[in-house]
Amino acid sequence: MPTSAAISRVRLSQDELQQLKWLLGQLLALIAMWSLWSLNSIPSGLILIFILGIGAVTLFPHLIGRIPDWVNKAATPALILIIAVDFILHGANFLDPMVRMVGFLTLYRSLQFRKRREDLQLLLLTLFTLIIVGVLLVSISFAVQMLIFTPIAMGQLFLVNLLEQANERILAADDWRAFSWRRFFIRLRVGLDFRLIAFAGVLFAIVVAISTVIFISLPRIKMDQAIPFLKMQANAGIGFSDTISYGTVNELLSGDDRVALQVVVSEPDKIPTRPYWRMVVLDLYEPASSTFRVSTAARQFANTRLQEGYRYVNQENPQRYLGGHTVDEMKFYLEGNVSGYLPLIGPFESISFPQRMKFFAGEEFNVFELDAPSATTLGYSLSNVALGESLQTSRREERALNAIFGAPILIEEYSASIRDLSYPETTLIVPVEGEDLEFLQAAVKEITNDQKLSAQEFSRRAFAWLSENYRYALSTGLPDSERSDHLIHWMRNANTGWCEHFSGAFIMLARTAGFPARAVAGFAGASWNDYEDFFVVRNRMAHAWVEIYDGNGRWLRADPTPSTSHLFGNMDSGLQGAMLTESGWGAWLDSVRMVWYRRVINFDQQDQEEIANNLRDISVSAFKEFRMQFTTKWKSFKSWLTEGWNVAKVRDVAVIVALVCFSILALRMFYQAFMTWRSARTHEGVRAVNDPIRRKAGRVLTRFRPAYVNAQQELRGEALKPWQSIYEDLLKLRFGDNPSTGSWKNTLKAARRLMRAGVKTVDRGEGALETAES
Amino acid sequence: MSRPPPESATEPTPPPEYNVTDWADAGMHVAKRKVGRSIWRFLWMFIVPPEGHRIAVTPAGFVHMMVCVGLMSAAYASSSNNILFMALSLVLSTLILSGLLSWMNFRGGRWRVLLPAHFRVEEPAPITVELWNTKRVLPTCCLWVKVRSSKQKDWERLYLEERLDPDQQAKLEWLFTPRERGVEEVQISGLESQFPFGFLRKTMGAGVTRTIVVTPRRIDYEFRSPVGHRGHQLGAFTRRPGAGAELMNIRRYQRGDPQRVVHWKATARLRQLMVRQMEEENRDGFIVFVETPASIWQEAAQFEKLCSFAASLAEDLFREGRLVGVAINDQPLLVVKRLHDLQLFLEMLARATPTSSYQSAGEHYGGNLITFKPGAKQQVHAYLSGNLSGSA
């Protein structure tokens, strides 16, 4: 009977477990506040005060006792009032009041001594906060917070459950008065067994592993009618809406190093060193507001309409684009609040989204616009993407462009408003008059020398003219002007500017020369992240360039901005080998974020199928490999056997057999020695179970017992005595005090002998004994 | 070929009993059997729990499930939002871990019930549940068993408040105070636990139900033997084993019998140890005779008092060595020689009810016969040979 003494390890008292539970609760509250910090629903200053308050009462729990009773009593109605007023005032945007409510409740619960129910409430509030913030921001911090939250929450639940059974009492202020965390942690350290910590670690690893398996296995169903669940309102970043005003994007260019776009390409070698990520095409220039915009006429011409779905396939035959390089697949991860227009490197065959999206597919201009900009990182993938310097027009657009190609449309000759222009007239209108027009015409004359030039030649000469007259800088050097038309004012008076000015000037010159031209906004350039093999595009790579029509059904890309290698990397050096490669901690963190978006956030049914196929392929190939190797070995073994035998071969076989036997014996001895060693090390009760002799006797006893019962029925008198005596000896060996004393081997042997002899050969009476003993 | 020994000597000595078999387990203990079968049994257990296993959802578990359902609905409704799927998988894995830990906690847990031999009304009797953690490495904690008598509505929980280390035992004690005379059942549930996170309340094992007999309450009474009474006149009832000089019987040797009482001749003849059994010296003795016709005992409280009075009187007389026999109604006379006989009588009193099928004889003869009759004001009187001798 096990009666050994209890293990003498310090056990935490009920009060100490209560203190630990309280600490875990406070940690949960702090995690919730950390999570809320990332949202704008509660001002950062207020969150900081919350965190400081929670931290203070965590360090000095007796402070809670100093909160006057009337405050505690008034807290609940006050909270209800505040939350109700908040909902009434800001009910239209339901999300913010809800987040604030959760924040206030978390704070309230963390500033009191909690009962079981309140502990569970705090846990639930924290989980709720993490999920809301996670869904809203889709940030990798969600994963980090969940990984911290999970073990703390499990510990909290465990303690709540443990203390519930032990007639829990709540610690009051008096219990905390002489409390010291230092003493507590020392005691915790003494009380904690390293095996317990290791066990907890293993359990946590199991949880992570199980949840990974569940996450991968949960079926992803793409529903036709997805309900928008907790979406934040987003705004497009500067420069990427359908209206671009002059002088606004230099904030981005002057060093906004945040990531705007990450791109994974199936064949990265094909991507040029300075890729142009085309987002929005702006055809109309309004001098009155100095803005380039997408004209209504262009929208009507493109005939885009709002669509919804997970995928869009270009209706036009994509083959018309696919003359040059093509890439099989590109995956884009566009950061939140950048733009509703998706960056595209060229025409593509199809685009797909992980979620159901609403969009305008501007196939005519190869522009893809979402219904609203995404507040969180948006992933989408393109298939069969064409890479090229030019864009083929549709036949319809070609006809329209050819009809007006060659002669500018001057605003002074145009009787109606500029907004009444049709497309593609909007790409040819020169919206200036008087001295400004004369200035442009003089410039064009200087560029062309009154010659009829091709679009390529005009572009080359215009680049040269612009480079001669203007330099690249993020300042124009001009005082703030009252003039509305900043572009012409800049051309006439300044000698420095940035991409907007160069592009705008080029467009004006091209149009004056009779070439339809339009502005394009997006990003130019990229850097290469070596950790996860993807392209990184940052905000400072925002760029504007031009597309000029060549009169032969092609829009040619023209980038009149002078060399900006300090901004875009070494752009003149050819292909990807010369692209700037990012390294260091920043790049590593970018790669981690990339993994997060690529492998986790955008994990979908296709990835599941891929995993399943990979598993199947691996198992099939492993099985084939095994079978092949086995067959080969078996054949070689058979041929070895059937070959002629000689002395050396016999000797080899004998050595192998001897080695095998020796190994088996050695293993057996090692096992027995190990069992004996373990038996000697363990305390009495466990030794009683683990003793090898005892275990052996137990095994024999299991077989002997039915034989003995049979013998009891069949035999009488002296014949039964040896059975009886062996049975009792076996019981003594199995359950007695010291099994190793006495001739245990003889007992086991006798038992086996008796079982072999059995009752079947035994007659009733004395003969039985004789047979058994023989 | 020798003759078989006499029948009495051929009875095999019963094998030594060990208490291992009387431990109940959680139903997960798999005896030595083929590995393949064990694995299938183990896997099957996840689908169909073994008999007696019950699982109830706690409020915390209900909230947990609601969270799961909410997350799943939101995840699918918002078209496979992976953040929600991630939260869902973490929450679900917590549930799986909970099951795993719970299984580990229950595994190797054995228990048995130790009931006291006798129960008496209003006297606390300790009912002990012994727990044994037979695991080799892991402790067991947060267990309890529920106990109640069949006459109680609510269960009482006996908590294992301390952690039970590997191969350790602990005792959980329930002080049970019966409130009524009669037959009751003591019900002990299987092992229960909400370990580790309190989502599910699991019961392992089918539980135990034991029938107990609650003997009548002990009460104060008055009893005096009438002057000149000589009970030994009816010596026929005084034949019981004792230390007297008369040989009463020869019986088989039992452990604890003194060596001097061995009957060597009989031992030699029967080829096993036999001892002499002597008759006790004749002493004064009484017979307690309880009659329970419903026509006499109409008041329930008075009948209870009768039972208590008869039980208390019989017990005191036995203690004084003056009780020779007991009888209830028309049942045969029970000669009281040992404590066991007295206990038998107390149990008969525990089961006694006013009966309409028996009519009192009216008059009783015999110098040592104690009978009972109802008195005024709920009193019960005892009569010895028809004379009032006591009351309660």
Side-chain angles (χ1 to χ4, degrees):
Chain A
M1 194 59 65
T3 52
S4 59
I7 296 166
S8 58
R9 188 122 204 136
V10 173
R11 290 189 184 186
L12 296 181
S13 66
Q14 298 287 327
D15 281 359
E16 284 165 335
L17 290 175
Q18 290 274 5
Q19 286 154 359
L20 183 60
K21 182 177 71 118
W22 198 78
L23 174 67
L24 294 182
Q26 295 302 101
L27 290 179
L28 288 178
L30 285 172
I31 291 173
M33 292 300 158
W34 170 24
S35 166
L36 287 174
W37 181 277
S38 320
L39 280 185
N40 294 325
S41 302
I42 304 178
S44 301
L46 199 56
I47 295 265
L48 188 66
I49 293 170
F50 286 2
I51 290 174
L52 289 176
I54 296 171
V57 294
T58 308
L59 289 175
F60 309 104
H62 64 272
L63 289 179
I64 292 179
R66 296 193 179 175
I67 299 173
D69 273 351
W70 65 267
V71 174
N72 284 326
K73 283 176 187 165
T76 308
L79 261 180
I80 292 170
L81 194 67
I82 289 169
I83 291 166
V85 169
D86 194 19
F87 267 99
I88 291 166
L89 293 179
H90 307 101
N93 182 12
F94 179 76
L95 199 62
D96 285 339
M98 188 175 70
V99 170
R100 282 194 284 272
M101 180 185 77
V102 172
F104 287 137
L105 287 176
T106 307
L107 178 75
Y108 177 56
R109 284 286 172 242
S110 62
L111 296 182
Q112 62 181 182
F113 298 123
R114 294 179 291 271
K115 295 178 193 165
R116 175 180 183 273
R117 188 171 53 92
E118 291 150 357
D119 272 317
L120 293 177
Q121 277 175 7
L122 182 57
L123 197 151
L124 211 58
L125 283 169
T126 309
L127 178 67
F128 191 60
T129 309
L130 291 186
I131 290 173
I132 289 179
V133 177
V135 169
L136 288 176
L137 297 183
V138 200
S139 159
I140 194 171
S141 59
F142 170 76
V144 178
Q145 285 158 356
M146 279 306 264
L147 281 178
I148 299 172
F149 166 81
T150 305
I152 295 177
M154 287 197 298
Q156 177 80 330
L157 278 170
F158 179 80
L159 286 174
V160 166
N161 186 43
L162 191 73
L163 291 167
E164 185 203 3
Q165 298 178 5
N167 302 321
E168 179 192 12
R169 75 181 183 91
I170 306 173
L171 295 183
D174 290 341
D175 297 307
W176 290 99
R177 210 167 294 284
F179 175 76
S180 146
W181 283 115
R182 190 170 164 273
R183 273 203 307 275
F184 175 79
F185 283 119
I186 289 172
R187 220 174 124 64
L188 196 65
R189 197 189 63 198
V190 175
L192 276 181
D193 192 345
F194 80 95
R195 286 175 298 184
L196 183 69
I197 296 169
F199 185 61
V202 170
L203 287 180
F204 181 62
I206 289 174
V207 168
V208 173
I210 293 174
S211 57
T212 306
V213 171
I214 294 175
F215 178 78
I216 291 172
S217 318
L218 279 170
R220 304 307 203 263
I221 300 168
K222 292 191 169 176
M223 293 165 65
D224 288 339
Q225 292 296 325
I227 300 167
F229 181 76
L230 293 181
K231 277 190 178 172
M232 283 200 302
Q233 286 181 338
N235 299 308
I238 299 166
F240 303 117
S241 63
D242 50 10
T243 305
I244 298 179
S245 300
Y246 268 87
T248 50
V249 297
N250 62 344
E251 288 173 19
L252 289 177
L253 302 176
S254 58
D256 186 343
D257 213 31
R258 287 175 302 167
V259 173
L261 176 69
Q262 298 172 100
V263 188
V264 182
V265 185
S266 58
E267 299 140 290
D269 289 343
K270 291 185 178 174
I271 302 295
T273 307
R274 190 183 180 189
Y276 283 83
W277 312 99
R278 198 167 172 276
M279 291 169 76
V280 55
V281 173
L282 308 130
D283 58 323
L284 183 66
Y285 177 67
E286 285 186 354
S289 55
S290 287
T291 52
F292 270 98
R293 66 171 65 245
V294 182
S295 68
T296 314
R299 287 187 190 281
Q300 285 170 349
F301 185 83
N303 194 24
T304 55
R305 57 189 174 78
L306 187 64
Q307 300 182 53
E308 192 173 358
Y310 294 97
R311 191 159 183 263
Y312 176 80
V313 180
N314 263 329
Q315 302 299 313
E316 295 279 334
N317 180 5
Q319 292 305 318
R320 71 181 166 117
Y321 304 123
L322 305 182
H325 286 305
T326 56
V327 175
D328 289 345
E329 190 178 19
M330 293 180 82
K331 285 189 175 172
F332 291 73
Y333 299 94
L334 178 65
E335 293 290 318
N337 294 317
V338 172
S339 175
Y341 289 95
L342 302 185
L344 304 168
I345 199 167
F348 57 89
E349 189 174 339
S350 67
I351 182 170
S352 43
F353 303 96
Q355 295 98 28
R356 196 174 170 82
M357 303 294 293
K358 286 182 179 174
F359 53 81
F360 298 96
E363 200 175 326
E364 195 78 45
F365 303 147
N366 192 38
V367 169
F368 210 90
E369 185 187 3
L370 296 180
D371 179 37
S374 172
T376 57
T377 302
L378 171 76
Y380 56 95
S381 61
L382 306 179
S383 67
N384 278 338
V385 186
L387 309 171
E389 299 275 318
S390 59
L391 187 69
Q392 186 78 42
T393 60
S394 66
R395 289 188 184 280
R396 190 167 68 99
E397 190 184 6
E398 187 182 349
R399 279 197 300 275
L401 280 165
N402 287 345
I404 58 167
F405 182 76
I409 301 173
L410 301 177
I411 193 73
E412 60 188 13
E413 296 168 2
Y414 192 76
S415 54
S417 162
I418 196 168
R419 294 205 171 188
D420 295 333
L421 286 166
S422 64
Y423 183 85
E425 289 170 347
T426 48
T427 62
L428 203 54
I429 183 81
V430 182
V432 290
E433 47 195 350
E435 286 182 4
D436 292 343
L437 181 61
E438 285 167 11
F439 170 79
L440 285 176
Q441 286 169 335
V444 168
K445 193 172 182 181
E446 190 181 337
I447 291 167
T448 58
N449 281 332
D450 287 334
Q451 293 172 351
K452 187 78 176 172
L453 300 177
S454 68
Q456 288 92 335
E457 183 57 25
F458 175 80
S459 298
R460 195 180 60 75
R461 291 192 188 183
F463 291 171
W465 185 84
L466 286 169
S467 298
E468 276 174 24
N469 293 290
Y470 309 98
R471 284 183 297 105
Y472 185 90
L474 290 176
S475 162
T476 58
L478 294 175
D480 286 342
S481 169
E482 294 292 319
R483 283 182 61 120
S484 55
D485 187 355
H486 288 104
L487 179 58
I488 303 300
H489 180 65
W490 176 81
M491 285 181 77
R492 294 184 64 184
N493 301 297
N495 50 18
T496 57
W498 56 87
C499 56
E500 282 179 323
H501 300 102
F502 283 96
S503 303
F506 182 86
I507 289 169
M508 287 302 116
L509 291 172
R511 289 182 181 181
T512 309
F515 295 102
R518 59 194 187 186
V520 181
F523 294 97
S527 49
W528 177 252
N529 186 305
D530 222 7
Y531 292 100
E532 268 291 313
D533 294 347
F534 63 94
F535 293 98
V536 181
V537 179
R538 299 185 180 276
N539 277 341
R540 61 176 160 78
M541 295 175 183
H543 193 48
W545 63 95
V546 179
E547 283 175 350
I548 180 168
Y549 183 66
D550 69 349
N552 292 314
R554 288 189 308 163
W555 285 101
L556 306 179
R557 184 170 67 221
D559 188 353
T561 310
S563 171
T564 49
S565 58
H566 64 287
L567 290 172
F568 305 124
N570 190 1
M571 64 182 180
D572 299 327
S573 304
L575 290 177
Q576 191 226 322
M579 186 177 274
L580 182 71
T581 302
E582 296 190 347
S583 60
W585 280 104
W588 183 79
L589 284 175
D590 283 342
S591 71
V592 172
R593 288 180 69 239
M594 185 64 183
V595 171
W596 168 250
Y597 291 120
R598 192 173 166 185
R599 308 280 180 213
V600 181
I601 298 302
N602 287 292
F603 184 82
D604 58 8
Q605 200 175 7
Q606 198 181 342
D607 295 319
Q608 283 181 317
E609 286 168 6
E610 197 178 318
I611 289 175
N613 289 335
N614 285 344
L615 278 176
R616 193 192 58 195
D617 293 345
I618 289 169
S619 55
V620 167
S621 63
F623 178 71
K624 275 184 183 168
E625 179 75 13
F626 171 76
R627 197 174 59 177
M628 199 175 70
Q629 284 198 0
F630 182 77
T631 314
T632 315
K633 301 262 183 207
W634 178 245
K635 276 180 182 168
S636 64
F637 178 69
K638 274 205 309 192
S639 63
W640 180 78
L641 270 181
T642 49
E643 279 171 10
W645 284 74
N646 53 28
V647 177
K649 201 168 174 179
V650 171
R651 187 195 60 208
D652 289 350
V653 170
V655 168
I656 290 169
V657 169
L659 275 176
V660 169
C661 293
F662 178 75
S663 307
I664 292 171
L665 279 174
L667 279 174
R668 187 184 160 89
M669 281 173 65
F670 178 76
Y671 173 73
Q672 283 184 346
F674 170 72
M675 294 302 285
T676 313
W677 171 80
R678 199 173 70 163
S679 167
R681 279 176 61 84
T682 47
H683 57 94
E684 188 55 41
V686 178
R687 192 187 303 159
V689 180
N690 284 339
D691 191 285
I693 301 170
R694 232 183 256 288
R695 291 160 71 93
K696 202 173 277 187
R699 285 197 292 273
V700 175
L701 194 59
T702 311
R703 289 188 287 133
F704 189 83
R705 197 176 274 127
Y708 175 57
V709 171
N710 190 28
Q712 274 183 321
Q713 291 168 355
E714 299 290 328
L715 305 178
R716 291 284 179 276
E718 291 297 321
L720 191 65
K721 277 194 175 168
W723 288 89
Q724 219 167 298
S725 122
I726 294 292
Y727 182 67
E728 283 173 13
D729 287 347
L730 279 176
L731 286 174
K732 273 182 203 158
L733 270 183
R734 177 69 184 89
F735 300 105
D737 289 338
N738 193 354
S740 55
T741 58
S743 53
W744 59 272
K745 280 186 181 173
N746 290 340
T747 308
L748 297 184
K749 272 184 193 170
R752 291 197 187 104
R753 200 166 55 227
L754 214 52
M755 281 190 290
R756 273 200 303 276
V759 182
K760 59 186 178 187
T761 59
V762 178
D763 295 327
R764 288 168 191 277
E766 290 296 316
L769 183 62
E770 287 162 17
T771 314
E773 281 177 348
S774 67
Chain B
M1 196 117 170
S2 62
R3 283 172 55 201
E7 193 63 30
S8 60
T10 58
E11 281 180 24
T13 311
E17 287 296 328
Y18 291 90
N19 276 337
V20 178
T21 51
D22 62 356
W23 289 90
D25 64 28
M28 293 177 292
H29 172 71
V30 180
K32 189 83 179 171
R33 52 163 68 97
K34 287 183 181 173
V35 176
R37 202 174 154 197
S38 307
I39 290 170
W40 285 115
R41 183 177 183 273
F42 179 75
L43 292 176
W44 184 244
M45 201 175 72
F46 283 100
I47 301 163
V48 180
E51 192 180 346
H53 289 204
R54 288 187 304 279
I55 298 174
V57 181
T58 60
F62 182 74
V63 171
H64 187 272
M65 286 176 187
M66 285 297 104
V67 168
C68 286
V69 170
L71 281 174
M72 189 179 284
S73 313
Y76 280 113
S78 63
S79 183
S80 300
N81 187 317
N82 277 330
I83 288 283
L84 294 171
F85 274 128
M86 195 182 296
L88 175 67
S89 43
L90 264 175
V91 174
L92 282 177
S93 63
T94 315
L95 196 62
I96 292 173
L97 180 77
S98 162
L100 186 71
L101 287 177
S102 173
W103 173 74
M104 286 160 77
N105 193 45
F106 274 120
R107 193 175 162 274
R110 312 276 175 85
W111 74 96
R112 64 179 174 186
V113 184
L114 303 180
L115 285 174
H118 311 297
F119 293 88
R120 191 193 288 271
V121 176
E122 298 297 346
E123 287 185 13
I127 294 176
T128 307
V129 178
E130 278 191 347
L131 297 177
W132 181 17
N133 176 15
T134 61
K135 289 194 287 284
R136 292 183 193 173
V137 180
L138 296 173
T140 287
C141 53
C142 301
L143 289 179
W144 71 82
V145 288
K146 284 195 304 193
V147 288
R148 71 171 180 187
S149 80
S150 54
K151 291 182 179 171
Q152 280 180 314
K153 188 182 172 188
D154 299 323
W155 291 90
E156 285 187 41
R157 284 184 181 182
L158 305 180
Y159 284 111
L160 173 67
E161 292 192 354
E162 288 287 315
R163 187 180 69 200
L164 194 57
D165 282 322
D167 203 36
Q168 295 291 304
Q169 289 183 13
K171 286 183 179 172
L172 311 177
E173 197 172 85
W174 179 40
L175 271 182
F176 171 54
T177 309
R179 300 295 172 196
E180 287 179 31
R181 172 185 64 89
V183 179
E184 279 189 46
E185 283 183 344
V186 172
Q187 297 167 347
I188 295 121
S189 72
L191 288 183
E192 288 195 13
S193 179
Q194 291 183 182
F195 186 84
F197 303 134
F199 297 146
L200 298 172
R201 188 183 306 117
K202 296 184 182 175
T203 307
M204 297 284 165
V208 177
T209 301
R210 293 280 185 86
T211 303
I212 60 168
V213 179
V214 181
T215 54
R217 180 204 314 253
R218 184 164 176 82
I219 57 167
D220 294 331
Y221 63 91
E222 288 177 18
F223 183 77
R224 295 177 306 280
S225 298
V227 179
H229 168 74
R230 290 185 61 84
H232 68 273
Q233 285 170 355
L234 286 176
F237 297 109
T238 62
R239 278 181 62 85
R240 53 183 166 181
E246 270 319 293
L247 180 68
M248 191 172 76
N249 193 13
I250 293 175
R251 62 166 172 81
R252 281 172 62 183
Y253 175 81
Q254 287 176 351
R255 186 174 290 181
D257 284 340
Q259 206 176 354
R260 61 187 166 77
V261 297
V262 173
H263 196 296
W264 294 108
K265 279 186 184 174
T267 301
R269 197 163 51 244
L270 296 174
R271 298 175 72 180
Q272 63 173 331
L273 271 177
M274 304 299 285
V275 293
R276 290 189 299 271
Q277 206 169 19
M278 310 307 285
E279 193 173 290
E280 198 182 78
E281 292 289 341
N282 204 4
R283 296 174 60 188
D284 285 356
F286 298 98
I287 297 170
V288 175
F289 181 39
V290 179
E291 291 176 301
T292 64
S295 55
I296 297 177
W297 303 102
Q298 292 171 350
E299 296 278 340
Q302 209 168 23
F303 184 76
E304 285 303 317
K305 192 175 271 187
L306 160 74
C307 294
S308 299
F309 187 12
S312 307
L313 181 61
E315 207 174 340
D316 290 342
L317 289 174
F318 180 81
R319 199 172 290 138
E320 293 166 13
R322 296 166 66 193
L323 184 68
V324 292
V326 289
I328 293 183
N329 295 339
D330 51 359
Q331 290 178 18
L333 181 74
L334 175 68
V335 178
V336 178
K337 296 176 181 175
R338 298 170 293 168
L339 186 62
H340 175 73
D341 300 328
L342 175 71
Q343 190 58 33
L344 217 57
F345 174 61
L346 294 181
E347 288 180 7
M348 286 159 70
L349 282 178
R351 292 189 173 92
T353 49
T355 172
S356 53
S357 60
Y358 173 78
Q359 291 300 320
S360 173
E363 291 187 16
H364 301 287
Y365 300 98
N368 60 350
L369 194 64
I370 300 171
T371 55
F372 302 90
K373 290 219 171 99
K377 297 180 182 175
Q378 301 288 328
Q379 278 196 320
V380 176
H381 298 306
Y383 296 88
L384 181 60
S385 306
N387 300 313
L388 183 65
S389 302
S391 56

